[in-house]
């Protein structure tokens, strides 16, 4: 390849507060238009904003968790522009003194090849959201100000992402971190997580590096569209460069919108520069000073982050990076569920298997959250312990779990009613093994003549034994006694 892809992300996150950034009305999603407003968020003259302390604390929590430097003194600025969804004609934001600079996001290794590494952050600042315009039929548009004034965290990454798939992984990991921190629900469909992507190419030609103009892509409504739009834009910029050559290098930064249906980016407006916004300090709000004591309280409120939890699952529990990631990326409820089962059984790999295969499958099929899953970690751990103690075999355990999920009954009553018990009597199993072997002379012949793979034939015979015992036999004993019987016949 003769070019390098340069990607930086600008992410807006709605913070989960009960009231708005600078006023008292609520922040619920989906209410009838303009029912969640107040004089401040309507921009009425003579009103004054008051900072939401909770929002500032959630912002601090996020920045501290991401390893950012917190400014001891931060102020608010007005970003001036006219738009119908912005009744004050300015947005209260942070310009030259954001509350947080630096920090980084650890990106887990992706399934398949690649991934991993760290994405540096440029800055994080707090601001207020705008309202929402709906462009209706008949040539008019409607304004809904329910969203105006909701606390918004803007997170800007360094332009050091080199691959559209990494950009997606970065955004997915950020969502996971924000959910672990419980600072946002990060629902992309509801607009509480929004991403703009800046992308250009550094093309190598005759020992020179030519940069294509930076394009900011808007309207990215899903993780999939982030990756797709960036891939499209890389191809488009490269093709454009082949056509125009060097002349395009001086063109200004532009904004393009992603069309999810046509899967192309389309030109929007020329990007405003900071000077167009006429930023100046917000005179209606006092600056915020953050001292060590406040930071210490925030630090103490941060639980275990996804990257730390993955490492703990790998090192303390011996899980593979893949298994650790599957459990962690479902959210902290699932990871906590696993932690509880692992602790109560001491069987980490087994606990991980049962949760991934039985619990998560059911949760997905029935569209449940793990909190609503009918079998808690304690009864699941007890069931795994029964298998571990040899009272049940794995298949019986799975069957019982399925019945527990289905009926909500306790495992004790299901075991009693179903006569579940693992048969571990050597003599009894040896007799059944002899019976199964005698009943299948063709299998023994296949084995002797080497017509089929020995493992396939033995597997068939083990299956016959399990069938004859009603699925109750101890599988390890069945295997052992079958080998003995075959050896006896062979000699
Ligand atoms: Mn912004």
């Amino acid at each position: 390849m003769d070019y390098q892809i340069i990607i930086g992300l600008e992410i807006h996150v709605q913070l989960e507060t009960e009231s708005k950034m600078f006023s008292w009305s609520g922040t619920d999603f989906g209410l009838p238009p303009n029912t969640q407003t107040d004089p401040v968020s309507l921009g009425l003259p003579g009103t004054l904003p008051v900072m939401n302390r909770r929002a500032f604390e959630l912002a601090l929590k996020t920045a501290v968790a991401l390893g950012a430097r917190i400014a001891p003194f931060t102020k608010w600025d007005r970003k001036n522009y006219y738009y119908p969804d912005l009744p004050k004609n300015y947005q209260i934001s942070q310009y030259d003194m954001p509350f947080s600079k630096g920090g980084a996001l650890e990106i887990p290794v992706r399934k398949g090849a690649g991934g991993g590494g760290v994405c540096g952050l440029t800055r994080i600042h707090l601001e207020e959201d705008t309202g929402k315009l709906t462009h209706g039929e008949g040539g008019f548009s409607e304004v809904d100000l329910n969203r105006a004034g909701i606390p918004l965290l803007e997170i800007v990454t360094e332009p050091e992402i080199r691959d559209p798939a990494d950009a997606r992984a970065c955004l997915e990991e950020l969502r996971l971190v924000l959910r672990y921190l419980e600072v946002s629900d990060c629902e992309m469909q509801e607009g509480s997580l929004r991403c703009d992507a800046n992308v250009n190419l550094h093309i190598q030609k005759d020992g020179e590096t030519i940069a294509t103009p930076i394009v900011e892509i808007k309207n990215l409504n899903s993780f999939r569209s982030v990756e797709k739009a960036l891939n499209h834009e890389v191809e488009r910029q490269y093709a454009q460069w082949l056509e125009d050559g060097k002349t395009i290098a001086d063109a200004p930064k532009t904004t393009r919108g992603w069309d999810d249906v046509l899967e192309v980016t389309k030109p929007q407006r020329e990007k405003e520069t900071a000077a167009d916004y006429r930023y100046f300090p917000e005179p209606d709000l006092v600056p915020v000073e953050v001292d060590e004591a406040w930071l210490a309280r925030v630090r103490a409120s941060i639980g275990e982050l996804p990257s730390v939890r993955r490492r703990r699952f790998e090192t303390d529990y011996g899980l593979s990076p893949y298994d650790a990631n599957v459990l962690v990326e479902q959210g902290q409820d699932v990871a906590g569920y696993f932690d509880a089962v692992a602790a109560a059984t001491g069987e980490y790999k087994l606990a991980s298997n049962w949760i991934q295969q039985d619990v998560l499958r059911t949760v997905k099929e029935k569209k449940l959250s793990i909190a609503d899953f009918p079998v808690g970690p304690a009864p699941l751990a007890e069931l795994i312990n029964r298998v571990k103690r040899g009272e049940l075999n794995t298949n019986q355990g799975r069957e019982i779990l399925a019945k527990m999920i289905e009926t909500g009954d306790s495992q004790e009553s299901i075991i009693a009613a179903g006569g579940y018990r693992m048969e571990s009597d050597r003599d009894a199993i040896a007799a059944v093994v002899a019976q199964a072997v005698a009943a299948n002379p063709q299998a023994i012949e296949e084995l002797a003549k080497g017509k089929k793979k020995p493992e396939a034939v033995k597997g068939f015979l083990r299956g016959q034994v399990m069938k004859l015992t009603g699925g109750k036999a101890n599988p390890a004993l069945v295997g052992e006694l079958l080998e003995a019987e075959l050896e006896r016949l062979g000699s």
Side-chain angles (χ1 to χ4, degrees):
M1 213 195 325
D2 59 348
Y3 62 82
Q4 194 173 34
I5 306 168
I6 312 293
I7 299 169
L9 302 178
E10 261 179 55
I11 300 135
H12 284 90
V13 181
Q14 278 187 356
L15 293 175
E16 204 143 82
T17 53
E18 282 176 26
S19 60
K20 291 188 175 179
M21 187 67 232
F22 301 110
S23 63
W24 63 81
S25 51
T27 58
D28 291 338
F29 179 79
L31 293 183
N34 300 307
T35 55
Q36 203 160 239
T37 57
D38 53 68
V40 174
S41 54
L42 288 174
L44 298 187
T47 58
L48 287 171
V50 177
M51 186 190 81
N52 181 335
R53 186 187 171 93
R54 176 80 186 140
F56 196 88
E57 275 175 350
L58 293 180
L60 274 182
K61 190 178 179 185
T62 307
V64 170
L66 291 169
R69 298 185 302 279
I70 307 300
F73 179 93
T74 185
K75 68 169 172 68
W76 304 96
D77 298 282
R78 287 190 182 181
K79 181 179 181 178
N80 297 281
Y81 66 100
Y82 170 79
Y83 211 63
D85 63 9
L86 189 69
K88 299 195 299 292
N89 292 339
Y90 62 84
Q91 177 193 31
I92 303 178
S93 181
Q94 297 198 283
Y95 180 50
D96 54 339
M97 296 177 74
F99 79 93
S100 157
K101 283 185 182 169
L105 185 66
E106 229 178 285
I107 316 297
V109 176
R110 290 198 309 274
K111 286 162 210 158
V118 157
C119 179
L121 303 179
T122 310
R123 60 183 274 162
I124 306 176
H125 72 246
L126 249 177
E127 56 189 32
E128 56 178 340
D129 210 345
T130 61
K132 196 171 164 21
L133 289 178
T134 307
H135 304 292
E137 284 163 35
F140 60 87
S141 297
E142 293 171 322
V143 190
D144 175 10
L145 294 173
N146 283 353
R147 213 179 69 176
I150 286 183
L152 214 53
L153 206 55
E154 181 172 325
I155 302 171
V156 182
T157 79
E158 289 285 288
E160 57 187 34
I161 302 169
R162 295 287 171 266
D163 176 346
D166 285 340
R168 178 189 181 145
C170 186
L171 193 60
E172 285 179 334
E173 183 65 7
L174 181 67
R175 178 178 67 168
L176 188 62
V177 169
L178 296 169
R179 285 184 169 170
Y180 264 68
L181 291 171
E182 295 175 333
V183 299
S184 172
D185 62 18
C186 291
E187 293 294 348
M188 270 187 120
Q189 301 91 324
E190 297 181 3
S192 48
L193 177 69
R194 311 199 279 270
C195 177
D196 301 330
N198 288 286
V199 56
N200 74 333
L201 305 177
H202 286 180
I203 299 168
Q204 305 299 326
K205 183 87 196 292
D206 305 328
E208 243 189 300
T209 303
I210 302 158
T212 59
I214 297 172
V215 167
E216 179 174 347
I217 316 174
K218 301 252 178 201
N219 308 337
L220 299 169
N221 301 323
S222 67
F223 295 107
R224 195 175 138 272
S225 61
V226 169
E227 189 175 348
K228 279 202 153 181
L230 283 166
N231 276 320
H232 165 82
E233 191 56 27
V234 167
E235 279 172 31
R236 194 195 64 79
Q237 289 187 18
Y238 193 71
Q240 175 97 56
W241 174 76
L242 285 180
E243 208 180 297
D244 299 355
K246 223 174 165 178
T247 51
I248 58 165
D250 300 323
K253 174 172 168 174
T254 53
T255 302
R256 297 177 73 90
W258 173 244
D259 186 321
D260 229 349
V261 179
L262 298 176
E263 301 197 334
V264 294
T265 59
K266 291 176 173 171
Q268 288 185 330
R269 59 193 152 86
E270 275 199 3
K271 182 81 182 143
E272 292 86 352
T273 62
D276 295 320
Y277 289 122
R278 299 293 190 271
Y279 280 100
F280 64 84
E282 166 61 64
D284 290 341
L285 284 163
V286 289
V288 184
E289 288 181 60
V290 181
D291 60 15
E292 257 316 307
W294 195 2
L295 274 182
R297 282 200 303 281
V298 168
R299 232 174 257 128
S301 74
I302 296 171
E304 190 177 38
L305 293 171
S307 55
V308 178
R309 202 155 203 171
R310 280 190 197 95
R311 270 196 293 278
R312 181 165 64 77
F313 285 1
E314 288 172 36
T315 53
D316 293 7
Y317 293 154
L319 297 189
S320 70
Y322 175 82
D323 285 338
N325 188 47
V326 168
L327 293 166
V328 167
E329 76 179 5
Q330 309 291 325
Q332 59 181 340
D333 289 355
V334 170
Y337 186 101
F338 166 71
D339 254 330
V341 176
T345 58
E347 294 287 331
Y348 311 132
K349 181 66 188 154
L350 216 52
S352 156
N353 288 347
W354 281 64
I355 291 172
Q356 285 187 51
Q357 285 164 33
D358 301 271
V359 177
L360 291 182
R361 201 196 52 224
T362 310
V363 162
K364 213 173 169 187
E365 274 171 13
K366 304 198 169 185
K367 295 193 167 70
L368 294 173
S369 75
I370 191 84
D372 299 325
F373 184 67
V375 180
L380 178 61
E382 179 49 28
L383 192 58
I384 292 174
N385 280 331
R386 283 178 201 270
V387 172
K388 195 175 134 191
R389 290 196 298 264
E391 296 168 23
L392 301 167
N393 63 36
T394 304
N395 283 339
Q396 290 174 321
R398 289 236 144 90
E399 217 175 291
I400 293 164
L401 180 58
K403 287 185 181 172
M404 289 165 75
I405 295 167
E406 210 47 53
T407 62
D409 291 345
S410 73
Q411 57 191 290
E412 287 75 14
S413 65
I414 293 169
I415 289 168
Y420 287 103
R421 176 181 59 82
M422 184 160 76
E423 178 61 78
S424 291
D425 183 304
R426 290 186 81 90
D427 294 342
I429 294 175
V432 181
V433 167
Q435 189 190 341
V437 167
N440 293 286
Q442 84 294 344
I444 307 303
E445 201 187 313
E446 282 166 353
L447 206 56
K449 293 190 176 165
K451 275 193 204 159
K452 283 189 183 166
K453 285 191 176 151
E455 241 337 284
V457 180
K458 288 176 187 173
F460 166 76
L461 289 169
R462 283 198 298 272
Q464 294 303 304
V465 177
M466 291 309 282
K467 216 169 175 181
L468 287 167
T469 61
K472 286 180 184 171
N474 179 329
L477 265 183
V478 171
E480 183 194 326
L481 294 170
L482 178 65
E483 288 295 337
E485 177 69 2
L486 292 175
E487 199 158 302
R488 195 183 62 80
L489 287 175
S491 63

